[in-house]
Amino acid sequence: MKIAALGLRFFYLNRGFLMDRFQEMQVFVAVAQDQGFSAAARRLGMSAASVTRAVAALEKRIGTQLLTRTTRNVYVSEAGQRFLEDCRMILSQVQEAENSAAGSHTQPRGQLTITAPVLFGELFITPIMVDFLKQYPDVTINALLVDRVVSVVEEGVDVALRIGELPDSNQHAIRVGEVRRVIVASPQYLDSHGRPIHPQDLCQAPIIGISSIGQHRTWPFIDGDEPLNIRPEPRLVVTANQAAIKSAALGLGYTRVLSYQVASQVAEGTLEIVLADFEVPPLPIHVVYQGGRKAPTRVRSFVDFTVKTLREHPALQK
């Protein structure tokens, strides 16, 4: 009995120790994600002092600095980045184990973080998120719709929509479609100025350029079997794809976008695709996520939901 009592006492002491560690991990992840102690404290329902003490205790026990503090911001150190990835994985597995034990392993619940390009997110991912949330009321979603490549690991993203070839990685990817890089102008402009028959014709034409991330001044084409690059000089440069598309539809000239971005305008007849015979090969679209079969139920469910919907969309299958 004495031995059993000592074992039970050790179990409860050890359990408290583990609970402290899990709480420290949760606090560290929140501070890293919010880039601040006060913001993390508000989200966790803790005092800023408690959050500060938890991170300090964690750094002291590990013996390395996980966060770099400035007067305005908090940044994750190089060692902290590696630890952050491990913390997210551990906390996710703990949550999944609890959900499974509670009998909810077949019902998605918890928070999802998703990223996609701005316009793709608005046109395709937003309706998917709304339908998914209606179907699964215990799920919440944080959507990062930005025109930059968001690091899945460093920014704690569960699911990412990627347009273009993927670098080699240990992340799982499912191809759901493809898009073309197209040149468009309004039919009225083309009727007045004539339709180009070769990409070189664009060098003397009014061009609407886009200066956002991922856009290049050089426009690639394929002339027969040979690559052809031209560098048109734009009359108008904008930072948003929608502004360029609107300017082209109003008759200013030509712009270069992805086919899904103008699918509705082409179908309506407000824009027309030109030089299709000179287009470079299309870009693949992938749903990227971590964990594979070990991913939480909410992640696997959202991936399946998204893959099915996007594969059925005609604008992404040509």
Side-chain angles (χ1 to χ4, degrees), residues 15 27 46 63 90 102 104-105 120 123 130 207 212 244 268 296 314:
R15 186 181 67 169
V27 170
M46 300 172 60
I90 291 169
S104 61
H105 56 283
F120 191 89
L123 295 176
V130 170
I207 299 296
S212 60
E268 294 166 359

Side-chain angles (χ1 to χ4, degrees), residues 28-46:
F28 169 65
V29 170
V31 174
Q33 182 171 324
D34 293 338
Q35 295 186 328
F37 289 88
S38 297
R42 287 192 295 271
R43 183 146 66 90
L44 295 171
M46 300 172 60

Side-chain angles (χ1 to χ4, degrees), residues 37-238:
F37 289 88
S38 297
R42 287 192 295 271
R43 183 146 66 90
L44 295 171
M46 300 172 60
S47 68
S50 297
V51 169
T52 302
R53 284 195 298 270
V55 173
L58 181 61
E59 290 179 323
K60 181 179 180 180
R61 187 177 66 252
I62 293 174
T64 188
Q65 186 177 12
L66 302 174
L67 299 170
T68 301
R69 290 86 159 165
T70 68
T71 55
R72 294 185 177 181
N73 296 101
V74 175
Y75 302 96
V76 182
S77 67
E78 183 177 350
Q81 289 287 2
R82 296 191 296 269
F83 187 66
L84 178 61
E85 179 181 351
D86 291 338
C87 285
R88 283 174 170 152
M89 179 186 67
I90 291 169
L91 293 173
S92 176
Q93 289 177 347
V94 169
Q95 183 64 56
E96 189 69 7
E98 290 180 352
N99 291 344
S100 180
S104 61
H105 56 283
T106 58
Q107 181 69 17
R109 63 175 58 192
Q111 178 170 301
L112 276 170
T113 299
I114 300 160
T115 186
V118 174
L119 194 50
F120 191 89
E122 292 175 357
L123 295 176
F124 299 100
I125 303 306
T126 296
I128 289 174
M129 292 189 296
V130 170
D131 290 342
F132 188 81
L133 291 174
K134 287 180 179 178
Q135 185 169 338
Y136 300 108
D138 294 328
V139 174
T140 60
I141 293 178
N142 177 33
L144 307 175
L145 305 183
V146 291
D147 287 328
R148 64 177 176 86
V149 178
V150 175
S151 173
V152 171
V153 173
E154 294 180 3
E155 301 191 44
V157 171
D158 296 303
V159 183
L161 277 296
R162 302 290 200 216
I163 299 175
E165 298 297 335
L166 297 175
D168 293 334
S169 71
N170 58 358
Q171 297 165 6
H172 295 262
I174 301 174
R175 183 163 176 156
V176 293
E178 62 184 26
V179 290
R180 298 153 49 203
R181 286 163 281 199
V182 298
I183 308 297
V184 294
S186 72
Q188 292 78 10
Y189 174 86
L190 296 172
D191 290 341
S192 300
H193 297 83
R195 286 160 176 77
I197 60 175
H198 191 274
Q200 293 288 1
D201 296 340
L202 299 176
C203 292
Q204 305 302 321
I207 299 296
I208 305 152
I210 304 170
S211 63
S212 60
I213 296 172
Q215 293 286 349
H216 303 283
R217 292 286 301 277
T218 299
W219 290 2
F221 296 92
I222 297 293
D223 189 358
D225 294 328
E226 298 296 323
L228 170 66
N229 294 307
I230 68 167
R231 191 179 176 85
E233 291 298 326
R235 289 194 62 198
L236 172 64
V237 177
V238 295

Side-chain angles (χ1 to χ4, degrees), residues 253-302:
Y254 301 93
T255 194
R256 178 176 176 265
V257 292
L258 296 176
S259 55
Y260 81 84
Q261 297 171 337
V262 291
S264 61
Q265 292 89 339
V266 171
E268 294 166 359
T270 57
L271 285 173
E272 181 179 326
I273 295 174
V274 297
L275 300 172
D277 292 339
F278 297 90
E279 291 175 6
V280 295
L283 297 169
I285 306 171
H286 290 93
V287 176
V288 178
Y289 65 105
Q290 297 189 85
R293 293 182 178 180
K294 294 182 179 180
T297 302
R298 62 184 180 277
V299 173
R300 298 196 306 271
S301 298
F302 185 80

Side-chain angles (χ1 to χ4, degrees), residues 300-311:
R300 298 196 306 271
S301 298
F302 185 80
V303 168
D304 293 342
F305 199 89
T306 302
V307 168
K308 181 179 184 299
T309 303
L310 294 183
R311 281 181 172 173

